Amino acid sequence: MRSPAFWPTHVVPPHGMPAWEAPDPARPTVPLDPLLPVQLEERFGDWGHIRCANGWAAWVDGRQLVALPQDPPGAEGATGGTEDPRPLLARAEQALADYRSAVEDLAAGDLDGESFGERTGGLRIGIVVDGESMWVYDADEGRWLYGDGRRLSTYATDRTAEGEHSGQALDRTAEGEHSGHAPTRYVAPKGEL
């Protein structure tokens, strides 16, 4: 299922993070993978309601989300985007083929759960394609890159800038300044204005 108008505004911190069905710690759901691109849709106190590229939504501790440094560069005027996307796409394709092979062997009974875990350990891929726009994860460098088919530019990294933490990055992101996606909606907790 594809979410209409998905435009990542943040990524999950490098260590991953827990998620909840509602802004209630008693209703946990599956945790989010490290560096997963998400769209922050609204805030409710410290809670953040996020949506993933596949349309799945959850509540998270919004203070831990890492704000993306800027909107992806446009085709005209992109700076620093000189990397050829083909080698990274080939590595992602190979990682997916390796994972698919392990899944097939597991389904056929040729692997047990432990062997499957050993065989797939360390495999990390991530890719979102929306028309000509692409976000691809470079596991070797620990970063997400944005591509327009011609070149790649670093979009987000798991390396924190000196003196910065995710809370600061979130605070300096002004609501509504990003083009291409709806602004984050802040909802005050009950009793607050």
Side-chain angles (χ1 to χ4, degrees):
M1 177 170 127
R2 185 172 179 267
S3 176
F6 175 77
W7 197 263
T9 60
H10 295 77
V11 293
V12 171
H15 56 276
M17 69 188 309
W20 294 267
E21 293 177 7
D24 176 357
R27 299 187 56 195
T29 187
V30 295
L32 298 172
D33 291 332
L35 301 176
L36 177 72
V38 298
Q39 182 178 27
L40 180 63
E41 294 188 327
E42 69 179 276
R43 296 287 307 247
F44 184 77
D46 291 338
W47 291 97
H49 187 250
I50 57 97
R51 183 163 309 281
C52 299
N54 65 0
W56 185 79
W59 288 88
V60 298
D61 181 346
R63 300 168 299 176
Q64 293 184 24
L65 292 171
V66 179
L68 293 173
Q70 61 189 19
D71 283 335
E76 56 287 325
T79 59
T82 58
E83 291 186 62
D84 182 349
R86 293 173 294 179
L88 188 53
L89 287 171
R91 288 198 318 258
E93 185 177 16
Q94 183 59 52
L96 180 59
D98 292 346
Y99 188 83
R100 179 182 295 126
S101 175
V103 167
E104 289 173 1
D105 289 348
L106 181 65
D110 296 336
L111 284 179
D112 60 20
E114 185 177 338
S115 298
F116 178 77
E118 290 170 3
R119 187 163 156 189
T120 58
L123 283 178
R124 295 196 73 190
I125 54 175
I127 189 163
V128 175
V129 176
D130 184 15
E132 69 181 34
S133 297
M134 172 188 68
W135 294 264
V136 62
Y137 182 66
D138 181 350
D140 293 343
E141 297 294 326
R143 63 186 177 152
W144 279 93
L145 296 121
Y146 170 79
D148 63 2
R150 293 176 290 278
R151 63 184 159 268
L152 294 172
S153 300
T154 298
Y155 190 54
T157 180
D158 61 0
R159 294 179 181 92
T160 306
E162 207 170 299
E164 180 179 306
H165 60 79
S166 62
Q168 290 172 327
L170 182 61
D171 291 340
R172 78 164 182 258
T173 302
E175 293 179 6
E177 287 188 358
H178 296 286
S179 61
H181 59 77
T184 301
R185 189 175 61 139
Y186 179 80
V187 180
K190 291 179 183 174
E192 282 186 30
L193 290 178

